[in-house]
Amino acid sequence: MRVLITGVAGYIGSVVARTLLEGNLSVVGIDNLLFGGEGLTTIFTHPLFVFRRADLNDTALIRSLFETSQFDAVVHLAAIVGDPACRSQPDLAEAVNWTATVKLAAVASEHLVERFVFASTCSNYGASRGAETLMAEDAELRPVSHYATLKVRAEQHLLQRHLWPKDTFPVVLRFATAHGVSPRMRFDLTVNEFAAATAEGYPLDVYNPLSWRPYCHVADISRAIEKILFAPTSQVAFETFNVGDTTENYRKDAIVAAVVQRNSSATVRHLEGAADPRDYRVDFSKIARCLDFRCSRRVNDTIDQVSSMIEAGIFVDTKSWRYRNA
Ligand SMILES: NC(=O)c1ccc[n+]([C@@H]2O[C@H](COP(=O)([O-])OP(=O)(O)OC[C@H]3O[C@@H](n4cnc5c(N)ncnc54)[C@H](O)[C@@H]3O)[C@@H](O)[C@H]2O)c1
């Protein structure tokens, strides 16, 4: 199987690429290296891997890739990622997360690529009063940011049946908030950020401690994508899956408590004012039932690993732009 991964140098993309290469799939990866190319260091010379530095909005170049390679699947991860990054660059976010996504899907369907796997987000559930209901895939979407609004628009566009010739189809994956170590590390994701801050001796700045959110290890997200690529068409065509594990929904104060348990010298500052109204608990029973998928790693595993790696001096300067999307 030959797979095109967009955003291959990113936090998730670099782990997905390695997972697929370990399974002997051919991978062509594209990325414009917004955060540098370190994510590719362990796979760059892999015999089954080809990297092209490319901007998704360069339609001629994207088209030429499809003309020279017959892809069986596209895993579309490239985006301006996260609420703060999309808020600070709204036009760029629209150009990448919407316009380029629509164009990429059109080129993929024109070239009869069987599977188009789209990275969406559980942020689409937005302000859903987390404690009360578990949000399944058919729940009402209530995006509260430009980032999630663009993801919802892209999902709705991609799932239109008339866009896809016979034997080709999209699959929408709504990832839980990722955590864990990746070759392109992100320290702006809650679990990674809190573990790093305490290990480096910074206070934990906590907003909205009672808000709920689901979490999923980046390696588990990659396993889920691999499963989607190999699943029978009848199980995944035109389907939407939440990607995570129902047991991995946490209130933010529970994450804080776990971090403090790992590092008892941590100081916590409860802050008010930064209004992020997101609050949702998510139901992951569909992916468990259809694809036999469950998370193999827990939030506590990452708190331990990130803390240990920082204590060992493996990451320095976790506040660097390389590790943060905004
Ligand atoms: N990390 C999470 O918690 C999370 C949760 C839900 C959904 N997602 C989705 O997963 C995908 C990957 O997220 P991530 O955490 O790896 O983010 P990331 O920012 O680490 O990776 C995105 C990659 O896309 C590349 N990119 C951006 N614009 C591009 C363009 N115009 N052309 C080519 N490449 C471009 C960047 O250089 C980067 O390497 C995104 O679609 C994101 O919305 C992530």
Side-chain angles (χ1 to χ4, degrees):
M1 186 186 293
R2 178 179 287 254
V3 181
L4 174 68
I5 302 178
T6 71
V8 71
Y11 176 70
I12 294 175
S14 55
V15 180
V16 174
R18 200 169 48 190
T19 304
L20 299 188
L21 290 166
E22 279 166 5
N24 283 325
L25 275 68
S26 285
V27 174
V28 175
I30 63 167
D31 203 296
N32 64 353
L33 305 184
L34 284 182
F35 308 101
E38 276 169 31
L40 301 176
T41 46
T42 61
I43 54 169
F44 192 76
T45 57
H46 192 291
L48 293 175
F49 182 62
V50 174
F51 174 66
R52 290 292 300 275
R53 184 173 187 168
D55 193 296
L56 262 194
N57 275 306
D58 184 343
T59 313
L61 194 148
I62 300 297
R63 189 170 280 285
S64 77
L65 275 180
F66 283 82
E67 270 150 23
T68 49
S69 300
Q70 179 58 52
F71 297 118
D72 302 293
V74 172
V75 177
H76 178 35
L77 300 167
I80 303 302
V81 180
D83 300 357
C86 291
R87 196 164 47 239
S88 64
Q89 310 161 90
D91 295 340
L92 180 64
E94 171 113 14
V96 181
N97 299 11
W98 167 251
T99 311
T101 295
V102 169
K103 284 197 229 157
L104 180 71
V107 178
S109 86
E110 209 179 292
H111 288 82
L112 302 180
V113 175
E114 189 198 69
R115 290 171 196 221
F116 187 92
V117 180
F118 176 59
S120 190
T121 170
C122 287
S123 282
N124 293 352
Y125 298 117
S128 300
R129 281 170 301 170
E132 290 161 27
T133 327
L134 282 175
M135 310 307 286
E137 287 80 355
D138 58 358
E140 186 187 345
L141 301 178
R142 297 178 186 168
V144 291
S145 64
H146 188 42
Y147 171 60
T149 301
L150 292 170
K151 288 286 186 184
V152 170
R153 252 167 81 193
E155 283 190 7
Q156 288 168 349
H157 172 79
L158 294 172
L159 288 170
Q160 296 175 97
R161 288 191 181 252
H162 70 88
L163 298 178
W164 301 95
K166 188 170 175 296
D167 299 330
T168 72
F169 57 85
V171 190
V172 169
L173 303 182
R174 293 187 189 138
F175 302 152
T177 301
H179 63 88
V181 174
S182 154
R184 188 255 148 168
M185 196 49 186
R186 284 186 61 187
F187 287 111
D188 57 349
L189 296 166
T190 305
V191 177
N192 297 350
E193 181 170 40
F194 282 6
T198 51
E200 289 185 313
Y202 295 111
L204 280 187
D205 286 342
V206 180
Y207 296 91
N208 305 329
L210 304 184
S211 59
W212 286 86
R213 201 72 56 82
Y215 296 90
C216 185
H217 196 283
V218 61
D220 285 322
I221 289 178
S222 301
R223 279 198 309 113
I225 291 172
E226 188 179 33
K227 275 180 177 273
I228 293 285
L229 293 178
F230 286 103
T233 301
S234 58
Q235 279 188 335
V236 295
F238 293 93
E239 291 292 335
T240 298
F241 292 93
N242 294 330
V243 176
D245 193 310
T246 307
T247 60
E248 288 289 284
N249 284 289
Y250 295 92
R251 236 168 56 174
K252 198 184 275 178
D253 57 1
I255 307 275
V256 173
V259 169
V260 171
Q261 190 172 28
R262 172 65 174 71
N263 184 345
S264 56
S265 64
T267 51
V268 180
R269 295 194 300 202
H270 286 283
L271 303 175
E272 291 185 12
D276 179 350
R278 281 182 298 169
D279 186 13
Y280 47 89
R281 282 170 74 206
V282 176
D283 180 348
F284 296 97
S285 55
K286 180 175 174 183
I287 194 164
R289 191 177 61 249
C290 297
L291 297 177
D292 193 22
F293 174 83
R294 295 202 155 273
C295 287
S296 64
R297 297 167 209 214
R298 310 278 151 195
V299 156
N300 263 325
D301 298 324
T302 289
I303 292 172
D304 207 34
Q305 185 181 4
V306 170
S307 303
S308 304
M309 289 178 86
I310 290 191
E311 286 155 8
I314 290 167
F315 291 110
V316 288
D317 192 16
T318 64
K319 308 260 183 231
S320 159
W321 64 272
R322 282 182 181 278
Y323 300 134
R324 292 173 179 270
N325 282 16

